[in-house]
Amino acid sequence: MTDYAELHQRLQKVGQEHLLKFWDELSEDERKQLEQDISELDLNELKEYFDRATSSLAQNGLKLDDRLQPLPDDKLIRISRAPEELLNSYREEGLKQISLGHVGVLLMAGGQGTRLGFAYPKGMYDVGLQSGKTLFRIQAERIIKLEELAFEATGKKGTITWYIMTSEHTLQPTLEYFESNNYFGLKKENVVMFKQGALPCYEYDGKIMLDQKHRIARAPDGNGGIYRALKNQGILDDLTKRGILYLHAHSVDNILIKVADPVFIGYCVRENADCAAKVVEKSSPTEAVGVVAIVDGKYQVVEYSEISAKTAEMRNPDGRLSFSAGNICNHFFSTNFLLKIGSTYEQELKLHVAKKKIPFIDNSGKRIKPENPNGIKIEKFVFDVFEFAQKFVAMEVPRDEEFSALKNADSAGKDCPSTARSDLYRLHKKYVEAAGGIVHGEECEISPFVSYAGENLAPLVEGKSFTTPLYLRSNRDTAAHL
């Protein structure tokens, strides 16, 4: 039997004893479930979390203009302006590190496709390509191709370990999807799934909410929860055991992602960076995207709402926006830096508050779905570790080659399946034409098994004319529709 008195005493010390208010109505199994939920809370940390998070609310709306500096030129390389021989040297370095087994990929894949009208993890979504490939499959095949390119360049066969962070709700369907597709040709032991944490939802006075009489209301702790999850779920130990020195971290919903991009890896390794960010040039001063900048001498992502219109419109002598480094959730970390975050800095991460409509159990025991925000969810952001880096660098990449997010249904007309599909087709058409082919029409898809990023296409397309739909595929693509 569960000891009610002991549980009540523990909760009373932190002002959360109301969580037991329906205790007498619960079955023994329900009591065990509630006790389990409570045991997963760090009771000593809860009040500090709430106080720290809500103190940040007072900062909302404050502009950072007077404390802000753009990224200095020596910390930012622009792919469009860099000499080809320099980029090639970075690529060689990256391929070398891959062949030595020093590179892993850290995929943030906790999101469900709710806004897409899709009831499964977003990585399982088929955007309507000719191949029928999902985001997970495309990224898996890019990893396989990159391992092959590294072997061709060095003669050494290295493995890219794929770490996939899911949420509590997406772990099982993601695992089943990979199993049913034989891990898309990757070895099962090199695909490591783990679950991000959750934080309780609070009323405005700091009381934790109940989602059911025997369940605490919880929400994922944001993509910045990755650092605590890496430590608590043994991933940091696994990195060390495997000898992985560098990680490429990104979100699942960018269809153009260059997974474990050897140019990015090579640049960061040569710069001896602790962490780094890929950025795209802001399309306009008013584009609603955070920018990587320096605040009070420390690197961070500044939300567009934290900068005045005047500062957002500032331009350099060459006409480019002064604050132009748009953040796209595409990062590099050294393992050593992640170990420091896990042991020291994770507890200092900023806590961000969102006022939300949170279903709850009222005092009569009825579950209410509110029509207006009634409580707060606390989140951490993956980029909030930048300020702890001794050496931080950034790489500006062409948006049309590396960033097309999948967030909305087609009705939105932006960051949706049709834009993701057309952006990939446009890029692949560009690859074919750069290799000496001619493409009539727009639907052009290249399998990752054929080319990772446009390389080695000339023998297939040079001097040839193609009418779309065009799909350059390998004999390994027969399983694409599984």
Side-chain angles (χ1 to χ4, degrees), residues 102-160:
H102 290 169
V103 177
V105 171
L106 187 54
L107 177 65
M108 290 167 270
Q112 290 180 289
T114 313
R115 280 158 67 183
L116 296 163
F118 182 65
Y120 299 95
K122 200 186 282 188
M124 292 168 59
Y125 191 75
D126 171 3
V127 302
L129 298 174
Q130 298 170 70
S131 62
K133 292 179 182 180
T134 63
L135 296 171
F136 279 142
R137 181 180 284 276
I138 291 166
Q139 291 169 30
E141 291 177 359
R142 286 178 185 156
I143 288 172
I144 292 169
K145 183 61 174 179
L146 197 49
E147 290 176 342
E148 293 168 0
L149 290 173
F151 177 68
E152 288 168 16
T154 66
K156 292 178 182 169
K157 180 79 174 110
T159 295
I160 298 170

Side-chain angles (χ1 to χ4, degrees), residues 142-301:
R142 286 178 185 156
I143 288 172
I144 292 169
K145 183 61 174 179
L146 197 49
E147 290 176 342
E148 293 168 0
L149 290 173
F151 177 68
E152 288 168 16
T154 66
K156 292 178 182 169
K157 180 79 174 110
T159 295
I160 298 170
T161 304
W162 199 10
Y163 297 95
I164 301 175
M165 184 177 81
T166 71
S167 68
E168 182 180 3
H169 301 295
T170 60
L171 178 60
Q172 197 58 35
T174 300
L175 183 59
E176 289 170 2
Y177 181 63
F178 272 74
E179 287 174 344
S180 66
N181 285 279
N182 297 314
Y183 288 82
F184 307 106
L186 293 162
K187 289 183 178 174
K188 177 181 177 179
E189 61 267 27
N190 297 325
V191 180
V192 182
M193 295 185 195
F194 64 105
K195 192 170 59 174
Q196 79 181 98
L199 288 171
C201 302
Y202 294 86
E203 295 179 45
Y204 295 126
D205 62 1
K207 300 285 189 194
I208 293 172
M209 303 170 84
L210 286 171
D211 182 60
Q212 299 175 49
K213 290 180 182 179
H214 66 292
R215 296 305 309 262
I216 286 172
R218 301 190 303 176
D221 55 2
N223 56 20
I226 201 164
Y227 304 109
R228 180 165 291 201
L230 287 173
K231 181 180 180 182
N232 290 351
Q233 301 206 33
I235 304 302
L236 293 180
D237 293 337
D238 193 72
L239 291 170
T240 306
K241 185 178 77 181
R242 292 176 189 256
I244 295 169
L245 304 181
Y246 313 109
L247 277 174
H248 179 211
H250 63 88
S251 55
V252 73
D253 59 5
N254 177 9
I255 198 170
L256 301 186
I257 190 74
K258 289 185 175 177
V259 184
D261 176 14
V263 178
F264 187 40
I265 300 289
Y267 167 62
C268 295
V269 170
R270 292 271 177 91
E271 289 288 329
N272 200 27
D274 292 315
C275 74
K278 275 192 179 184
V279 298
V280 295
E281 186 174 8
K282 275 186 72 170
S283 59
S284 72
T286 56
E287 184 183 8
V289 62
V291 295
V292 183
I294 297 175
V295 180
D296 297 334
K298 294 178 178 177
Y299 295 96
Q300 72 175 64
V301 172

Side-chain angles (χ1 to χ4, degrees), residues 4-32:
Y4 171 85
E6 189 265 338
L7 202 53
H8 188 272
Q9 187 178 21
R10 282 168 50 205
L11 289 169
Q12 194 172 32
K13 285 179 182 175
V14 290
Q16 303 291 350
E17 66 274 15
H18 66 282
L19 295 175
L20 302 177
K21 63 186 170 186
F22 299 109
W23 187 264
D24 292 340
E25 301 174 30
L26 304 181
S27 68
E28 187 58 30
D29 283 347
E30 288 172 336
R31 288 177 179 180
K32 284 179 180 172

Side-chain angles (χ1 to χ4, degrees), residues 47-62:
K47 185 173 187 314
E48 184 222 339
Y49 255 51
F50 180 79
D51 291 345
R52 272 179 58 209
T54 50
S55 70
S56 73
L57 280 175
Q59 304 295 316
N60 286 359
L62 292 181

